[in-house]
Amino acid sequence: MARISQLLTCTVASGWTAILIIGCQLPTTSPSSDTSSPDGLESAGEFESDQMTDATAYDRPAERLIIELKVFRYTAPKGSFSDSDAVWNAIGGAVTDAATTLRLADNGFRAARGRDSDRKPLADVLGALPDVVSSRDDVTPDASREVELEIGACPPRMTVFHFDSTGELHGLDFVEARAMFGINLELRSISLRDVWMRIVPRLEEPPGPAKWVITQEGARQVPEERVRKFPQLAFETTIPDGGFLVLGPTQAQGQLPLVGGAFFSTQLPALSSGSSAPRESLFIISPVVRSVQARVPRTAAASE
């Protein structure tokens, strides 16, 4: 399978593929082959099915929808994504309303929604950037709760600032925190090929001292959870068939240690001097809806 990093210098980590299985009934659809675009950006929206022959009213296909969440991470020298609009100009769609877009930008986040036709222009822009490294990781989600997309470890001691919905500035201190995105996925479109997504940034510190809690099994001690969610930075959008979501930094995070820096800024050793060179990350999240058909036994269909 092709990867969006084919045009780039690529270091591949273990892959992030999130799979959710949703049962539903759809009309029979002819199968299509699993192909990839020549530019390396995977074309989403193909599906797999078993070809049905000699179908009758009692021999109809049953179909399951599978959402595969492909997540790619690009890192480049600082300013490659935040100071340049080249990447964002290659993507045509706005993610959410203007007020939410401005609030995200004030906190160091930028998001855009691309269509299948935007893959080639985006691949060309990413391929032209200097010193770009890409990776792909996998997440195995629990279909009953949100997907936890872990970004990685933050500095051992970190102070970040964020603006709330009223524009008030707040400061927070974290120790050995890890950044992650909480992602909820649903199929809400009539066509069942568009994917609704809700993204919530959060920072999670190691568990604290054990505390007594009352559960169904009785009282017991559990470690204190130290998770800071940022609901004022949550947003939702619908990704069209073959589309994708892009998350990256804004210029604002260079002026103040905003919360967005914990998700997109990294310090990596330079190859020549060994000193830390500031870099930043860009995430491409591409949900792919596939259908798998299974023949319903004639006896089962006749008994309905």
Side-chain angles (χ1 to χ4, degrees), residues 20-21 55 81 135 147 153 156 188 203 205 208 213 218 222 231 247 254 256 272-273 294:
L20 300 179
I21 300 179
F81 309 126
S135 63
V147 179
R188 290 187 172 181
L203 294 171
E205 294 179 289
V213 297
V222 296
L247 297 173
L256 190 70
S272 58
S273 62

Side-chain angles (χ1 to χ4, degrees), residues 225-236:
E225 291 189 357
R226 296 179 174 178
V227 179
R228 172 70 186 203
K229 296 183 179 181
F230 297 89
Q232 73 278 9
L233 301 179
F235 66 92
E236 58 186 57

Side-chain angles (χ1 to χ4, degrees), residues 79-104:
S80 299
F81 309 126
S82 57
D83 295 340
S84 173
D85 288 331
V87 170
W88 309 101
N89 290 338
I91 311 168
V95 168
T96 184
D97 60 273
T100 303
T101 299
L102 290 175
R103 186 162 62 252
L104 288 172

Side-chain angles (χ1 to χ4, degrees), residues 19 91 95 97 115 118 130 146-147 151 206 248 267 284 289:
I19 300 179
I91 311 168
V95 168
D97 60 273
R115 297 185 175 274
D118 297 326
E146 69 178 8
V147 179
I151 306 304
Q267 294 288 126
I284 300 177
V289 180

Side-chain angles (χ1 to χ4, degrees), residues 119-136:
R119 293 175 179 272
K120 178 64 165 61
L122 179 58
D124 292 341
V125 172
L126 293 175
L129 293 174
D131 194 17
V132 176
V133 178
S134 68
S135 63
R136 172 180 166 179

Side-chain angles (χ1 to χ4, degrees), residues 156-302:
R157 303 191 68 89
M158 178 181 65
T159 299
V160 297
F161 294 87
H162 70 96
F163 293 92
D164 60 21
S165 57
T166 65
E168 184 176 354
L169 183 65
H170 303 269
L172 297 170
D173 292 323
F174 293 91
V175 177
E176 297 181 354
R178 302 188 70 85
M180 62 183 63
F181 290 113
I183 304 178
N184 292 99
L185 301 169
E186 289 185 15
L187 295 176
R188 290 187 172 181
S189 174
I190 296 177
S191 67
L192 294 179
R193 294 294 169 184
D194 298 344
V195 179
W196 174 86
M197 302 177 66
R198 186 173 189 269
I199 313 292
V200 184
R202 67 191 193 198
L203 294 171
E204 182 174 337
E205 294 179 289
K211 301 178 65 175
W212 285 100
V213 297
I214 304 299
T215 66
Q216 293 180 350
E217 293 77 19
R220 63 190 183 95
Q221 285 186 313
V222 296
E224 178 187 6
E225 291 189 357
R226 296 179 174 178
V227 179
R228 172 70 186 203
K229 296 183 179 181
F230 297 89
Q232 73 278 9
L233 301 179
F235 66 92
E236 58 186 57
T237 188
T238 299
I239 305 299
D241 183 19
F244 54 93
L245 175 68
V246 179
L247 297 173
T250 62
Q251 290 180 316
Q253 67 167 283
Q255 304 169 5
L256 190 70
L258 296 175
V259 64
F263 293 81
F264 303 115
S265 293
T266 58
Q267 294 288 126
L268 296 179
L271 296 180
S272 58
S273 62
S275 60
S276 295
R279 296 174 67 87
E280 58 189 18
S281 298
L282 185 82
F283 297 91
I284 300 177
I285 305 175
S286 179
V288 181
V289 180
R290 301 185 187 274
S291 62
V292 180
Q293 293 183 352
R295 187 182 300 274
V296 176
R298 186 183 301 273
T299 56

